[in-house]
Amino acid sequence: MQSNGLSQPYTRGQALPELLKQRILILDGAMGTMIQQYKLSEADYRGLPASTRFESHPGDIKGNNELLVLTQPQIISKIHEQYLDAGADIIETNTFGATSVAQEDYKMADLAREMNVISAQLARAACEKYSTPDKPRFAAGAIGPTPKTASISPDVNDPGARNVTFDALRASYREQIEGLFEGGVDLFLVETIFDTLNAKAALFALDEFFEETGERLPVMISGTVTDASGRILSGQTVEAFWNSLRHIKPLTFGLNCALGAALMRPYIAELSRICDVAVSCYPNAGLPNPMSDTGFDETPDITSNLVDGFAKDGLVNLVGGCCGTTPDHIRAIANAVAKRKPRPFYRESAELSA
């Protein structure tokens, strides 16, 4: 894929590469953390009493956060605006699980495309509300890993078993990509990758979409290191992970989620050393704590100080927050790194000399 190669300029999000060289950009924080604060009931998730569309839908749907763009869009829009007000340059659509593969759990696979279109429209509208000539805002189409893995058996007694195929993932991702594009996203974010093969299905679907439509949008890639071994769940080190996907020529490459900033540092440092693209980092607010209001312990001051340490040492180009982070975390991060210079990256010169 040459989505941002020299001969194929972006058709959306054209300002992003230059902005990443000028300053450290800010991504938003956790959507789920903010939704939890509303303490929504099953009826709320169904949109009752304002709408009866999902009144008779079988099974429990409480917890299907992606559905809220259809049943409680005002909540999603408010969360987007809170992050933009906190200083986010890029906000993510509420589509982490808005694939037909993921929505099968709620018997809502047929709603996946609609969810993506509406979610993108909500994010784009919020960006337009907050954008200024000096500080444009961007909507990133969030593409999650799905609850299934193409590389790992779900049955310890049958190592060869799989509960999803590459083609099924590719088709599901393609539907999501089309919906996000229709809704108006500026870029795509393939995130929280725990299985490189799942990510390749998403990136293959993006490549197909770009080739068939002639569109070229920036692509961000972010994996998640699942334990102190420094590997993603499907077994790769961060160096192997980068080398598996570097041919995509992403706008940014980095890590998010699992470990929190303190434990993530050596892996971000490694990516900063080997990547010839912008490096991203948006960690959890520390390690999980079910007794905390947000499910995580770190306050905005703690998280922002840790992330600022990455920026101070020249490791990152884009930072934000994942699970447990709030607009207060993002505001603190934005204020902390505002005085830092972005990490230099030299992909263009490397391509010219290749």
Side-chain angles (χ1 to χ4, degrees):
M1 184 196 305
Q2 303 287 331
S3 60
N4 57 347
L6 298 175
S7 62
Q8 297 177 304
Y10 292 139
T11 54
R12 293 184 186 175
Q14 296 96 331
L16 282 166
E18 188 60 34
L19 287 172
L20 283 165
K21 295 175 184 176
Q22 294 174 4
R23 59 185 176 87
I24 296 174
L25 297 189
I26 307 299
L27 188 70
D28 61 3
M31 176 63 72
T33 297
M34 297 299 290
I35 290 172
Q36 288 171 15
Q37 295 181 11
Y38 285 87
K39 302 185 186 304
L40 301 175
S41 66
E42 177 74 21
D44 293 327
Y45 272 88
R46 292 177 183 269
L48 299 171
S51 170
T52 59
R53 178 179 178 185
F54 301 107
E55 183 177 21
S56 302
H57 186 80
D60 294 336
I61 58 176
K62 182 179 178 180
N64 187 2
N65 289 344
E66 290 74 22
L67 179 64
L68 295 175
V69 301
L70 305 181
T71 59
Q72 303 287 346
Q74 74 285 354
I75 290 176
I76 304 305
S77 291
K78 184 176 181 180
I79 293 170
H80 284 324
E81 292 187 13
Q82 286 176 286
Y83 281 122
L84 290 165
D85 185 67
D89 297 289
I90 301 171
I91 58 171
E92 301 177 52
T93 57
N94 181 37
T95 53
F96 185 83
T99 54
S100 58
V101 168
Q103 287 297 316
E104 285 174 1
D105 291 348
Y106 296 100
K107 300 181 176 64
M108 290 185 162
D110 59 320
L111 297 176
R113 185 183 178 105
E114 182 183 2
M115 288 177 177
N116 284 283
V117 172
I118 300 301
S119 188
Q121 290 174 343
L122 294 176
R124 184 65 251 155
C127 286
E128 290 174 0
K129 181 176 179 179
Y130 278 80
S131 287
T132 66
D134 293 335
K135 191 175 175 65
R137 312 299 181 100
F138 303 89
I143 300 174
T146 84
K148 299 183 178 182
T149 168
S151 294
I152 304 170
S153 172
D155 182 356
V156 294
N157 297 312
D158 185 1
R162 297 292 184 270
N163 58 9
V164 71
T165 67
F166 182 92
D167 284 342
L169 286 169
R170 179 194 59 77
S172 181
Y173 282 130
R174 176 61 184 265
E175 179 183 44
Q176 180 173 42
I177 290 160
E178 290 176 352
L180 289 169
F181 181 83
E182 180 182 335
V185 298
D186 302 294
L187 66 156
F188 293 103
L189 170 55
V190 182
E191 66 171 341
T192 322
I193 298 165
F194 60 80
D195 183 342
T196 306
L197 191 56
N198 283 41
K200 286 191 173 186
L203 295 165
F204 187 84
L206 277 167
D207 198 21
E208 283 187 322
F209 177 78
F210 291 154
E211 289 300 321
E212 292 173 15
T213 64
E215 299 287 346
R216 292 292 185 276
L217 275 65
V219 175
M220 296 168 57
I221 297 175
S222 184
T224 182
V225 171
T226 54
D227 58 40
S229 72
R231 298 174 183 268
I232 66 172
L233 188 62
S234 57
Q236 288 185 314
T237 63
V238 294
E239 182 176 8
F241 178 55
W242 158 247
N243 283 314
S244 292
L245 300 177
R246 63 183 300 177
H247 64 282
I248 301 301
K249 301 186 186 301
L251 175 71
T252 69
F253 196 93
L255 300 173
N256 72 291
C257 199
L259 297 178
L263 296 177
M264 191 183 284
R265 183 183 175 93
Y267 313 118
I268 290 295
E270 176 69 0
L271 288 178
S272 178
R273 182 182 68 83
I274 63 177
C275 288
D276 58 1
V277 301
V279 168
S280 66
C281 175
Y282 53 110
N284 290 347
L287 295 173
N289 176 7
M291 303 302 291
S292 168
D293 289 341
T294 64
F296 293 80
D297 278 334
E298 286 183 3
T299 64
D301 283 346
I302 295 172
T303 304
S304 62
N305 284 335
L306 289 167
V307 173
D308 184 41
F310 297 174
K312 179 182 178 181
D313 292 339
L315 304 180
V316 291
N317 302 94
L318 181 145
V319 294
C322 203
C323 305
T325 59
T326 66
D328 287 339
H329 287 79
I330 299 308
R331 182 174 285 106
I333 290 170
N335 290 338
V337 304
K339 61 183 178 294
R340 307 297 183 191
K341 293 182 179 180
R343 165 186 167 272
F345 59 100
Y346 306 102
R347 193 222 350 264
E348 291 84 355
S349 59
E351 284 183 348
L352 286 170
S353 63

